[in-house]
Every structure is written in C-alpha cells, then in structure tokens.
Amino acid sequence: MPPPKTIVLRFESKDGQFRLSVLPSELFTSLLSQILENLPKNVDSTTLTLSNRPHNGEERLLSQLKGVTIERVGLRHGDKLYLKYSEQAAMNGHSTVSKSMPTQPHNSSNRLNGAPVLPTEDLPIAPPPQTSSTATIKNPWEVVQQSPLDNELDKQDGKISRPRDQKMCRHGPKGMCDYCMPLEPYAPEYLQDKKIKHLSFHSYLRKINSATNKPELKTSYMPPLSEPFYRVKHDCPSGHPQWPEGICTKCQPSAITLQAQPFRMVDHVEFSSPALINSLLDFWRKSGAQRIGFLYGRYDPYTEVPLGTKAVVEAIYEPPQVDEVDGCTLQEWDNEKEVDEVGRLCGLQKLGVIFTDLIDAGAGDGTVVCKRHIDSYYLSSLEIAFAARLQAQNPKPTKWSDTGRFGSSFVTCVLSGDEDGGIAISAFQASNSAVEMIKADIVEPSADPSVMLVRGEEDDDGSQSRTRYIPEVFYRRINEYGASVQENAKPSFPVEYLLVTLTHGFPTESTPVFRNSDFPIENREVIGESQELRNVAAKLGVNSDRIDAEKGVRSASDFHLLCFLHGMGILNKEEEALLCRVARTHDLSDGFQLLNTPGWATLLAILKESGERPPKRSLSSPFSPGSLFSDDELLAKRFKGASLR
C-alpha cells in the first residue's frame, strides 16, 4: 500500500506567514504544537482562532475542533487559513491583557465545517449589540426572528394599483399599459401626489433590494441593509496594534456627510383614546411641572402609506422621576422589567416615550406658549440625544440586514404649544446616523437647542482621548444664491439633519384595549395621588360588607391596576396571565374562570380585611324636634353595656 500523500497548508497571521505539511487524516488539534512553533512565544493558545478569510470569514476556536479532521472540512493542497490570537505579555511597550475570545454560540458565522455551534443558553430574539461593523451574521434570513408584522409585510408585493386612464389607455378592459400599470411602493410620482415626505421602511427596503439583488443575474444573495458605523474597527487585518496605539485607513471611519434620511421606521403614531393624553396633561395642570411617560402598545399596518407601519398606543406608564417647570429627570426604574412583562401578557410592548413641554400663556383661557416652530426648533439637541440613546437600546431585528438589526421602531412624542396657543402632539424619530453618532460619542448637545455640537478628540481635562476618534463631518445646505454647498459641521450643525418626522392622530372610532382607566397613576405622590389598597378595593367593588365580583372583573381592564397587582405578588403566573387576558379581551367566560381561582379569592379576602369600613349611621340630635329618646334614656343606653366589676 502506498504511503498517504501529504498536503501543504498555508497559515497567515499578523506576525507573518508559514507553511505546514500535514496529512488529510490528521486532527486540527494535533496541529497546535506546530502552529505555536511559528508564532511568538507570548501567544495565548486558548485564544487561537482559525478562519477561511482575513475578515468577514467563518471563525472557530482551535480548541473547539476536537475530533475534526482536515479532510472533513474540505481543505485541499495549497489552501490558506488565517490565524487570530491574543498575547499574554507586554508588546511594543504597551501592556496587552490576555482575553479569551467569546464563542458567540448564537452567531451562525462561527462555523468552519458547516456544522452550527450548539447554543449553551437561551438568547433573545434580537441579536446582541455588535462592537464592530464586521461582526456580521451569515445568512441572517435563517436565524433572525422578525416581528409578525414584518413577516406579513414581507409577503405583500406593495404594488399601487391604478385605474384605467380614459384619455391615454388605448387597450381593452383586460389590457395594461404604462399609464395604468401598478406602481412600485417607492414611486416618486405617487409619493409627491399624496404628499408623503418619507418612504416607509418596507418601501425603502424594496427599493434598495431591487438595486442590490437582481435575480436575472443569478448572483448570490446579499442582505441589502447595512447599519452606519462611525467607530474605529477593532478587528483590522493589517496587523498593527489596536486603537489608540495604532490606526490605518482600513480601520478608521470614513468622513461623514449628513443628509436627510429618506425613510422612516414608523410612519404614524395613533393614540387609542384621548384620555391617554388628558391623564398626562392633568399632572401639568395640577403642578405646573413637566411629565414624562413610556408608551405601551402594538405595531399595526398603516394603509395610508404603501407598506406603512403605525404604532398604536394603548397605555402610558410614568416611571419614577423628578419633575420641574423646565424639564424632567428620570430616576432608577426598578420595576421596568415587571412592567414590560405585564405589557407582554396584555399583548403590548414598549413603543416609545412621550413628555410635556408646556408653559401657561397667563391669559387665563388655557392657552400655552408656542416654543417650537419653524424659526426655532422642533426637537432640541438634548432631546435628540435622549431619543437616540433610547433607540439604541431598542434595536429592530430584521433578516434583511447583515448584522441582524437595522434602526429602531422606538418613537418620541412631545406635548407642546402650537401657533394658535393650543396643546399639540408632535412625533419624531432620531435618524440612524444620529443614533450611530451618539454611540460613537461624536456629537453632544448644545446650549442652543437648534444646533448639535461636534466633539473634539480631547477629553474634558484637555488630554488626547484614548477611546474617541472623531472623523470629518460635513452637511449640505442651500446657500443664499440657491446653490447646494457642502459645509464643515465643526463646531456645530443644525439638528434637522438628525430628525425624522412622523404623523400622529386618533382613530375615528375609539376602541381602546383598557376600558376602565380610572385607577390612580403611579409615582404621583408629589401631587397627593398614590396607589393604595383602598383604591384597589374600591376599583374591584370590595368593602367590609360585600364583594361585587362582577364589578371587579369588569374593572380589571386598567393597565395601571394590572401593574399594581403584579407588584403585590399575590397571583401566580397562570392567574396573572388569565387576569391580563380578561383585561384585554373582556371575555366573561374568562372572567368567571378568574373568580374561581385561589389567588383571586386571596386577593379579595385581603382587600376585604384591609379596606375602609363604611361610615356609621348618624343618630338624630337629642335636641331636635324629631328625637325619639329623652336625655335620661340616651344616658341609660350609653351605660347599659358597662360593667362595674
């Protein structure tokens, strides 16, 4: 039998290249000693990673390739593998701490032989935050779970049908021509005719996907969406020390040219009932201080815009905060996850944030001062930074992006005065560029609310920052001669380049999910309103004499009451899910099922024992004409039950 034939594998690392002669039947783990002989002595062998590309390739720790042979992977004579690793000792005068590279079992790009890495823990639907633009997901359409609404809109063609043009169409009733054929959802003539300022997200997706992937060319599919990335890449293949010790043209961010974002992630904000806005305004009416709350609801299709999306607000939760005349300060929100869980049980999720910015005009007729208009600002630089941070915390999972996420559906609403002195609602979103610039620490709010400042590379003490790299930032504007010119954004630029406006409104027929929202709102002790057991007892029809069970079931449709009952911890998970289903669907059969649960019976018993007693009957005055007893008889009755022993 002839001896087995050896093959040559090439290896490349940041410290150079080398070759190894190996047998196809050898295991990858048996090559560790030969690889370490060609690498520096301070290499941490536990961090040694193999990849089939210098970057954006399939990576795998060498220690995880136990039992995997070279021929099983499909490597052939002359193939090249790329090595990545960390050092243990000081290098070039800079201390480098050895770090074990995370395996990221959720990321399907961590494959070398085609077998997926087994997950070791439960992971969220949305991929975790990435630290580099190169941390992409291979085949995101296979692993990323979108919302049901996105899946539904993906199945629609989005074509805009047009009737037959009586003047231009020369064909029969079953024919079609350029004058009556359906339009694409991103057709500019339709958007201009309907005065739609921004494309919907799915219309924008169809537009760029038609330019990125052409089925007639029979090329491999590429995710059309890519998030902006304005930070230094930490996985540069050039081999130099990481930033801030080293930087090159491959890892430094390119210059930024700001322009208006042509699309928006959410097209419309709909409040299910005007009572939601009135309850938030009541705090300002009673205290004169501003108020902030988080919106809970759901996302539905918006038919007024091709492939549009609207946020339907069903409840507003007011977290702990310090309110003042000119603003609010959010405090630690300890039960945020509990409130989110109550919303999930009710079929709701956190949609955005709303806050007031109101100043009484002093006319005595309820008018307010108009602060936000075309000559001042609509959303200040500080509020844009606040909205961008919240959007960064709530990314939108999508299978059309190479990172598994793109933008955010988190909205920001403002209650402020309009030009007529009334109170108006405005809805906005920070652009994707604004969110990334806040992440990269490139911009900061200004004392002038209409402009945003570009930060310098120096820290507050004047020293050179070791974490912040500020690229060149430009924006285009129309000068006094009507020409489009490019301006340097340093030191400041208008905030309009970071904003996307949304429409808002109320439904024609109001059918809110929560129909009995009169329970005291949380965290309003400063104006003398608090949530107590007596409020729960009155809400559920419980007093010391009797329990109105049916009233309790009907009155349970209140988001603030559900959050308070969740904090009491009396109901178990099944009973609480049933309670939220009763509050959402108003089903009597589920309500009677709730009445027979032990947790609900325990709650009613506690409320009955701790509730307020009914007022005592008042006796008529002994001196009144209609008195039935004399003074002696009343005195005798008073001491009748007394004992002298």
Side-chain angles (χ1 to χ4, degrees):
M1 177 182 292
K5 184 179 180 181
T6 61
I7 62 174
V8 174
L9 293 181
R10 297 178 295 161
F11 294 86
E12 181 178 334
S13 68
K14 60 183 179 180
D15 293 298
Q17 301 182 6
F18 60 91
R19 299 181 180 183
L20 293 180
S21 297
V22 298
L23 295 174
S25 59
E26 287 189 64
L27 299 176
F28 271 100
T29 52
S30 64
L31 304 179
L32 178 60
S33 58
Q34 302 180 54
I35 294 176
L36 292 178
E37 291 177 357
N38 294 275
L39 297 178
K41 302 300 182 182
N42 57 353
V43 171
D44 186 358
S45 60
T46 60
T47 64
L48 194 59
T49 306
L50 297 177
S51 177
N52 61 340
R53 294 181 182 177
H55 51 84
N56 290 341
E58 301 173 354
E59 300 178 359
R60 190 75 177 271
L61 284 174
L62 182 61
S63 58
Q64 293 184 344
L65 296 175
K66 296 180 179 179
V68 179
T69 61
I70 296 174
E71 59 183 358
R72 179 181 173 184
V73 177
L75 293 176
R76 294 177 296 179
H77 180 72
D79 286 348
K80 179 185 285 189
L81 294 176
Y82 297 88
L83 300 174
K84 295 182 180 179
Y85 45 81
S86 299
E87 294 81 9
Q88 294 178 333
M91 181 177 180
N92 295 332
H94 301 283
S95 176
T96 304
V97 181
S98 174
K99 296 181 180 180
S100 179
M101 297 178 62
T103 57
Q104 295 182 349
H106 58 276
N107 195 335
S108 64
S109 64
N110 289 335
R111 304 174 181 176
L112 189 61
N113 60 347
V117 180
L118 297 178
T120 57
E121 58 181 352
D122 293 334
L123 298 166
I125 291 179
Q130 306 285 0
T131 58
S132 172
S133 63
T134 59
T136 58
I137 297 178
K138 183 181 179 181
N139 300 341
W141 54 89
E142 297 179 355
V143 297
V144 176
Q145 299 184 23
Q146 298 184 135
S147 66
L149 176 61
D150 288 332
N151 292 330
E152 178 185 348
L153 292 176
D154 285 342
K155 297 176 182 178
Q156 300 179 10
D157 60 358
K159 299 283 187 177
I160 304 171
S161 60
R162 293 189 294 174
R164 186 173 181 268
D165 195 322
Q166 299 298 331
K167 295 182 179 180
M168 305 303 296
C169 293
R170 305 300 181 185
H171 51 77
K174 295 184 179 181
M176 184 181 297
C177 67
D178 292 341
Y179 297 99
C180 61
M181 65 182 301
L183 296 176
E184 295 290 343
Y186 48 84
E189 58 270 22
Y190 178 83
L191 301 178
Q192 185 177 3
D193 180 55
K194 298 296 183 179
K195 296 182 180 180
I196 300 175
K197 186 177 180 181
H198 299 278
L199 288 171
S200 66
F201 167 67
H202 284 270
S203 296
Y204 173 75
L205 177 60
R206 303 292 172 87
K207 181 179 180 180
I208 62 171
N209 190 39
S210 62
T212 305
N213 299 291
K214 298 182 181 298
E216 62 273 11
L217 299 180
K218 297 182 180 181
T219 57
S220 59
Y221 176 79
M222 294 176 56
L225 297 177
S226 181
E227 287 190 307
F229 190 82
Y230 302 150
R231 288 162 282 175
V232 178
K233 301 176 184 177
H234 293 290
D235 51 359
C236 182
S238 299
H240 60 74
Q242 291 189 5
W243 166 263
E245 282 76 16
I247 194 171
C248 69
T249 56
K250 294 182 179 180
C251 59
Q252 71 179 17
S254 304
I256 304 170
T257 301
L258 296 175
Q259 54 186 350
Q261 183 170 289
F263 65 94
R264 52 192 177 189
M265 307 300 295
V266 177
D267 302 283
H268 184 76
V269 180
E270 180 181 289
F271 295 89
S272 62
S273 172
L276 295 173
I277 303 299
N278 289 329
S279 63
L280 190 66
L281 291 176
D282 282 341
F283 184 91
W284 172 76
R285 296 188 181 108
K286 296 177 181 179
S287 65
Q290 310 306 325
R291 194 66 170 170
I292 188 171
F294 284 90
L295 309 175
Y296 282 84
R298 64 186 182 277
Y299 295 104
D300 285 343
Y302 184 53
T303 56
E304 300 298 323
V305 176
L307 299 176
T309 302
K310 67 178 179 180
V312 181
V313 181
E314 297 287 354
I316 300 177
Y317 188 90
E318 301 174 9
Q321 55 192 281
V322 176
D323 303 311
E324 301 177 7
V325 178
D326 59 346
C328 307
T329 302
L330 287 176
Q331 295 181 321
E332 192 69 25
W333 189 3
D334 296 328
N335 65 330
E336 180 178 5
K337 294 183 178 180
E338 287 76 8
V339 177
D340 291 344
E341 177 63 18
V342 173
R344 187 190 64 81
L345 293 176
C346 295
L348 310 177
Q349 64 183 103
K350 194 183 297 178
L351 303 179
V353 66
I354 186 172
F355 57 88
T356 62
D357 183 19
L358 300 167
I359 298 178
D360 187 20
D365 55 356
T367 58
V368 295
V369 176
C370 178
K371 296 173 54 179
R372 302 166 186 259
H373 49 81
I374 192 172
D375 295 325
S376 61
Y377 65 95
Y378 290 103
L379 206 63
S380 69
S381 56
L382 180 62
E383 294 162 353
I384 291 176
F386 174 65
R389 290 189 179 95
L390 291 177
Q391 289 179 211
Q393 296 172 7
N394 298 270
K396 178 184 180 67
T398 175
K399 63 183 181 182
W400 301 98
S401 174
D402 53 2
T403 58
R405 68 173 62 82
F406 185 79
S408 173
S409 298
F410 203 84
V411 301
T412 300
C413 300
V414 186
L415 290 172
S416 187
D418 58 12
E419 296 179 354
D420 298 328
I423 299 176
I425 306 173
S426 301
F428 303 94
Q429 274 192 307
S431 65
N432 291 358
S433 297
V435 175
E436 179 56 29
M437 293 178 80
I438 291 295
K439 284 182 181 179
D441 202 17
I442 295 176
V443 295
E444 61 181 347
S446 168
D448 184 354
S450 62
V451 299
M452 185 76 78
L453 295 178
V454 179
R455 303 194 62 166
E457 295 187 359
E458 296 79 15
D459 287 329
D460 296 335
D461 57 358
S463 61
Q464 189 75 9
S465 175
R466 295 180 57 84
T467 59
R468 186 189 312 124
Y469 181 86
I470 307 298
E472 292 292 333
V473 183
F474 302 96
Y475 69 96
R476 303 196 69 88
R477 70 175 182 88
I478 306 298
N479 62 6
E480 61 273 17
Y481 304 105
S484 177
V485 295
Q486 181 170 283
E487 298 282 351
N488 195 328
K490 293 182 180 180
S492 63
F493 62 93
V495 296
E496 285 78 12
Y497 290 90
L498 306 178
L499 271 183
V500 179
T501 57
L502 316 179
T503 59
H504 66 277
F506 298 91
T508 305
E509 297 181 1
S510 179
T511 55
V513 171
F514 305 108
R515 301 178 180 177
N516 298 280
S517 299
D518 54 356
F519 188 72
I521 299 177
E522 56 282 337
N523 302 311
R524 286 194 174 186
E525 292 80 4
V526 68
I527 59 173
E529 298 180 6
S530 59
Q531 296 178 332
E532 300 178 0
L533 288 178
R534 60 185 178 87
N535 303 121
V536 183
K539 179 79 172 177
L540 300 182
V542 178
N543 54 48
S544 58
D545 295 336
R546 60 186 296 272
I547 297 176
D548 191 347
E550 294 186 7
K551 178 184 177 182
V553 172
R554 293 193 304 268
S555 302
S557 184
D558 190 320
F559 186 73
H560 305 284
L561 175 63
L562 297 177
C563 294
F564 185 81
L565 294 179
H566 178 83
M568 294 179 65
I570 298 176
L571 306 178
N572 58 33
K573 292 184 178 180
E574 292 76 12
E575 294 167 344
E576 188 173 357
L578 179 60
L579 172 62
C580 292
R581 188 165 68 249
V582 171
R584 183 183 75 253
T585 61
H586 319 288
D587 192 347
L588 291 179
S589 61
D590 290 336
F592 286 114
Q593 181 182 353
L594 177 65
L595 294 176
N596 296 324
T597 57
W600 187 258
T602 303
L603 173 63
L604 297 181
I606 294 175
L607 295 178
K608 184 177 181 181
E609 293 299 325
S610 60
E612 291 184 343
R613 295 179 178 274
K616 295 182 178 180
R617 292 181 300 171
S618 59
L619 294 174
S620 59
S621 173
F623 304 102
S624 62
S627 177
L628 301 178
F629 304 102
S630 65
D631 294 347
D632 295 338
E633 289 175 331
L634 288 174
L635 184 63
K637 287 179 177 293
R638 187 177 300 173
F639 284 95
K640 182 177 181 180
S643 176
L644 300 178
R645 289 183 295 176

